[in-house]
Amino acid sequence: MENVSFIKVAGIDGVEVEHAIIDRGNGEFTSMTKATYDTLLSNSSIPQAGE
Amino acid sequence: MTVLRHPNNNGVTLSQWRKTAAGGETSLSGTDDFSAALAYTAGAEQVFVNGVLLERGVDYTASTGTTVTGLTALVAGDIVTVSSPSAFNVANAIPKSTVTTKGDLLAATGASTVTNLPVGADGTTLVANSASATGMAWAGPSVAAGKNYLINGAMDNWQRGASFSATGYGPDRWYCTVGGSAATFAQETSVIPAGSRYALKWTAGAASSYGQIRQFIEQAAVIPLRGQTMTASAMVQLGSSYSGTLQFEIYYSTTTDTITSFSGTAVSITTTTGTPTIGSYNKITATFTVPSNAVGLYIGIVPSVVQASGVSAYIGNVQLEQGSVATAFSRAGGTLQGELAACQRYYIRYGGNTSYDIVSFGAGNNTQLVTAQQSFPVQMRIPPIIAEYSNLIISDSVNATITVSTVASDTAVTSTKIFRGNFYTAATTVVPYRPYTINTVSSSGYLGLSAEL
């Protein structure tokens, strides 16, 4: 089961950017900016064929 | 006078014998007005008097090859002409049977000596070769880096792992989609196309399920191909009980080349060849024209119908090239190393090799954070926007290691050449300003950075 948390990370310029941390539940994690995460979440997947 | 109309020693010459009559002659022989002796091929000669063609066997008799008889007496001043082709020299003709099958060529083994040069294997090229009896030989197929617009077409690189059960990137550059309720994608090492090391195998994990693979091509490569005829090819094999077929699916977008916002339109495929077969590899091809407004393009290989649970398909040596002919497979990068570098433009994974692979270098920022950075072996397509990680530790090489809980990239460093990341830990034992390495804690530890489409 995936578990998503959000953290704010200060960059080298001192500006904080919100990140999404996705816990895959099997010891594997994925992180990306929250903006990227929201984009991935909102877009539907590519066309499905074969049916 | 003799006129050589076709001065070919192996062909036909047309001779002409012409003489002005003295008057009263009913036969012709000997030399003409130009000192040429009368000689003709009986049955093929033509006799003219003042330009009027006479009828053989009625107006004259010609059977000896050197005389013409039976003429109506000529009148003084009549111009009589005997024209005759030489016999066709069949002795030097090349028998049709010299060639025996489609693609055979005629080749010389020496002066005036011809033999059959059998057709070469698909994808080979005819080259000069002095060691061969014909001076020529079929060579290759040659490998040409850059011919193949698809990266990792031979499924050589599996940086993310060797087996996948969720929709996402599988083998490098290949986006795998689980159709229906369950499917797995795995590195295949035994059922592979000739000349390959690996193939991709997908297996339906439930009824009415299937796998699909697609490779998205970035716009920097797509835009120059607008209007070009392209041919996709792949080696495919169907598992037992497979239903329907396995086919190319090609879509393009006029706005983007990335998966997340790809709203595509099907590209019209003009020609397909090859039939996927259960139990053996066959090459399938699809030829199409890249739309003039294409920005993004993907090449997919998809089943035509859903499959029963446990049904598999195997795919390897996928290629996309210019032109309407599918030629022999080449890696986009030319070599294994070149292909890996091409893959790492989109995704790179550090670690995964030994228990304590070092994946990055940095220093303590606060008691729970190490900021570390490392250069990429090849410049990435864009600054990587996704980090994948597992089983990472922070080490100062002296004290006990500290488990990494979270990795977040520093978005202020928008570099395609270097990564700067923040490695957090739940512990509070990081010492600020102390140099640290970020290591894997087991062979399953890794840090992956994605600049994929």
Side-chain angles (χ1 to χ4, degrees):
Chain A
M1 179 68 90
E2 290 186 351
N3 181 29
V4 183
S5 58
F6 300 96
I7 62 169
K8 288 188 177 177
V9 176
I12 197 170
D13 55 356
V15 176
E16 285 192 338
V17 175
E18 196 168 14
H19 285 249
I21 310 297
I22 305 165
D23 182 350
R24 302 290 183 194
N26 57 355
E28 298 185 342
F29 298 82
T30 301
S31 72
M32 64 193 79
T33 63
K34 185 173 183 300
T36 299
Y37 176 77
D38 290 340
T39 301
L40 290 172
L41 208 60
S42 63
N43 284 296
S44 58
S45 61
I46 52 180
Q48 299 280 302
E51 292 183 319
Chain B
M1 181 175 67
T2 298
V3 179
L4 295 177
R5 299 287 176 85
H6 301 281
N8 179 337
N9 291 336
N10 293 330
V12 177
T13 59
L14 188 64
S15 65
Q16 216 177 57
W17 184 91
R18 189 174 71 179
K19 190 166 187 175
T20 304
E25 296 97 324
T26 59
S27 65
L28 305 170
S29 63
T31 58
D32 65 2
D33 293 344
F34 302 93
S35 303
L38 178 60
Y40 58 85
T41 302
E45 86 294 331
Q46 290 180 313
V47 179
F48 300 84
V49 174
N50 297 326
V52 175
L53 178 61
L54 304 186
E55 185 177 357
R56 187 173 196 279
V58 175
D59 297 329
Y60 69 92
T61 300
S63 57
T64 66
T66 54
T67 60
V68 174
T69 60
L71 294 166
T72 300
L74 299 174
V75 176
D78 282 350
I79 303 297
V80 60
T81 303
V82 180
S83 179
S84 174
S86 66
F88 183 66
N89 189 351
V90 296
N92 288 329
I94 300 171
K96 291 191 295 183
S97 59
T98 305
V99 290
T100 60
T101 191
K102 180 175 70 175
D104 281 359
L105 298 173
L106 295 175
T109 56
S112 305
T113 309
V114 173
T115 191
N116 177 32
L117 178 63
V119 63
D122 282 355
T124 54
T125 305
L126 191 60
V127 298
N129 178 14
S130 61
S132 165
T134 60
M136 296 180 288
W138 296 101
S142 60
V143 172
K147 178 180 76 171
N148 189 351
Y149 283 81
L150 299 178
I151 296 168
N152 201 28
M155 312 295 174
D156 294 309
N157 298 303
W158 299 71
Q159 290 189 88
R160 295 175 179 84
S163 181
F164 312 88
S165 57
T167 293
Y169 279 99
D172 280 63
R173 296 263 47 232
W174 288 102
Y175 193 84
C176 303
T177 301
V178 174
S181 55
T184 57
F185 301 83
Q187 182 186 72
E188 174 63 31
T189 58
S190 58
V191 183
I192 56 177
S196 293
R197 184 184 183 197
Y198 298 125
L200 180 148
K201 175 187 181 183
W202 61 252
T203 304
S208 300
S209 296
Y210 52 91
Q212 300 174 320
I213 67 167
R214 295 176 174 87
Q215 184 164 139
F216 288 73
I217 304 171
E218 68 176 277
Q219 57 182 287
V222 172
I223 291 173
L225 293 177
R226 288 174 174 174
Q228 297 291 314
T229 299
M230 305 293 292
T231 297
S233 58
M235 295 298 291
V236 298
Q237 177 173 326
L238 308 179
S240 60
S241 303
Y242 190 98
S243 298
T245 190
L246 194 60
Q247 60 201 20
F248 280 105
E249 177 198 81
I250 303 169
Y251 271 61
Y252 76 103
S253 167
T254 61
T255 57
T256 184
D257 55 3
T258 60
I259 291 176
T260 53
S261 52
F262 198 95
S263 179
T265 304
V267 174
S268 175
I269 296 173
T270 54
T271 307
T272 60
T273 67
T275 304
T277 304
I278 292 175
S280 64
Y281 270 101
N282 275 348
K283 179 183 277 191
I284 60 172
T285 75
T287 299
F288 62 97
T289 299
V290 177
S292 60
N293 55 351
V295 172
L297 179 75
Y298 78 65
I299 306 299
I301 299 177
V302 301
S304 58
V305 296
V306 299
Q307 304 296 321
S309 181
V311 171
S312 297
Y314 305 84
I315 302 165
N317 285 2
V318 192
Q319 180 161 267
L320 175 67
E321 61 193 304
Q322 293 193 56
S324 57
V325 177
T327 64
F329 177 80
S330 282
R331 291 181 176 87
T335 62
L336 288 173
Q337 181 55 37
E339 194 79 325
L340 177 60
C343 293
Q344 290 179 333
R345 173 176 164 77
Y346 300 87
Y347 182 87
I348 181 168
R349 178 168 287 202
Y350 299 89
N353 298 315
T354 65
S355 292
Y356 291 100
D357 224 356
I358 296 174
V359 302
S360 194
F361 300 86
N365 188 314
N366 59 46
T367 57
Q368 290 186 290
L369 170 62
V370 170
T371 301
Q373 47 274 316
Q374 73 277 346
S375 296
F376 303 127
V378 299
Q379 187 167 354
M380 301 198 78
R381 184 182 69 89
I382 58 173
I385 58 172
I386 296 176
E388 300 171 341
Y389 54 96
S390 179
N391 288 315
L392 296 177
I393 54 172
I394 297 167
S395 170
D396 63 6
S397 302
V398 177
N399 297 296
T401 58
I402 308 165
T403 301
V404 171
S405 60
T406 300
V407 179
S409 61
D410 184 344
T411 56
V413 180
T414 55
S415 174
T416 55
K417 299 176 181 175
I418 191 167
F419 172 77
R420 179 180 166 92
N422 292 306
F423 295 80
Y424 290 92
T425 174
T428 57
T429 52
V430 173
V431 179
Y433 310 117
R434 177 176 290 179
Y436 286 101
T437 59
I438 307 299
N439 298 6
T440 58
V441 73
S442 69
S443 58
S444 62
Y446 62 84
L447 171 63
L449 301 170
S450 176
E452 263 293 1
L453 292 167

